[in-house]
Amino acid sequence: MTPRRVGRGGTRALVAAVTAGVLAVGVAGCGDSGDRAVPGRVCGVPVDADALAPLLPGDGKVADRRTDKGAGSVSCRVSVDGSPVLYLAGDVTDPGTGARAVSLADRGLRRLGNPALVKGAGDTAAVADRGAKAAARCTWQGRAHDFVGLVQLEGEDPVPAGTEDRRDALLAFLKSWFPAAARAQGCTPGSGGSGVS
């Protein structure tokens, strides 16, 4: 077969057809939120992107802003396209305070809606309708301490929309984020108990 020379008009038509095809494939992929880029790190802490994804509404740019509160305490806000989505806080506390912070009597947990104690993160953990909290014994600056971590949903319409799905997603994220957040604060497993895993 002998190659045929294409004139300027034919070249333009070919380029237009190829461009249209590429755009059609790209637009078809844009509607699928499963393909969006979900970070594997938030607030300086590595997390399982699959555990984070259900807590992020729709598509959009994920950003975070971390605040070091000093003395082993840090907080961070995660937003999607500028709208707040998650509030994360990690605090190194005195030994024995973690169990009180993660109890059904804790006003902060009750404010998050219907807290229940669960297993799977730290020495003690609880999940509520709009947040989750865990505590574990650890060693910080050579002495025994507790690490308390909080995950709280922000915004008017938290996701997932269903309460049970949301609670499951919060617990899955807490399991991924909590031990990494403790290590990021320099709180290492130890000082008795199961501690930070």
Side-chain angles (χ1 to χ4, degrees), residues 91-137:
D91 296 295
V92 177
T93 64
D94 291 333
T97 58
R100 287 192 306 276
V102 185
S103 74
L104 298 183
D106 180 67
R107 286 188 320 190
L109 269 174
R110 288 196 321 249
R111 183 179 50 78
L112 295 173
N114 305 308
L117 296 177
V118 294
K119 296 202 181 291
D123 295 329
T124 183
V127 66
D129 295 345
R130 295 179 63 97
K133 202 172 190 183
R137 287 174 286 275

Side-chain angles (χ1 to χ4, degrees), residues 14-38:
L14 179 61
V15 168
V18 169
T19 302
V22 168
L23 286 174
V25 169
V27 169
C30 285
D32 182 8
S33 63
D35 291 340
R36 71 175 168 188
V38 175

Side-chain angles (χ1 to χ4, degrees), residues 18-123:
V18 169
T19 302
V22 168
L23 286 174
V25 169
V27 169
C30 285
D32 182 8
S33 63
D35 291 340
R36 71 175 168 188
V38 175
R41 190 173 192 84
V42 289
C43 305
V45 176
V47 295
D48 179 356
D50 290 338
L52 175 61
L55 301 175
L56 302 179
D59 293 333
K61 182 180 178 192
V62 179
D64 59 50
R65 193 172 84 208
R66 182 181 154 133
T67 303
D68 186 347
K69 300 184 295 185
S73 293
V74 67
S75 66
C76 185
R77 283 200 151 62
V78 179
S79 61
V80 174
D81 285 341
S83 296
V85 176
L86 281 174
Y87 173 78
L88 305 173
D91 296 295
V92 177
T93 64
D94 291 333
T97 58
R100 287 192 306 276
V102 185
S103 74
L104 298 183
D106 180 67
R107 286 188 320 190
L109 269 174
R110 288 196 321 249
R111 183 179 50 78
L112 295 173
N114 305 308
L117 296 177
V118 294
K119 296 202 181 291
D123 295 329

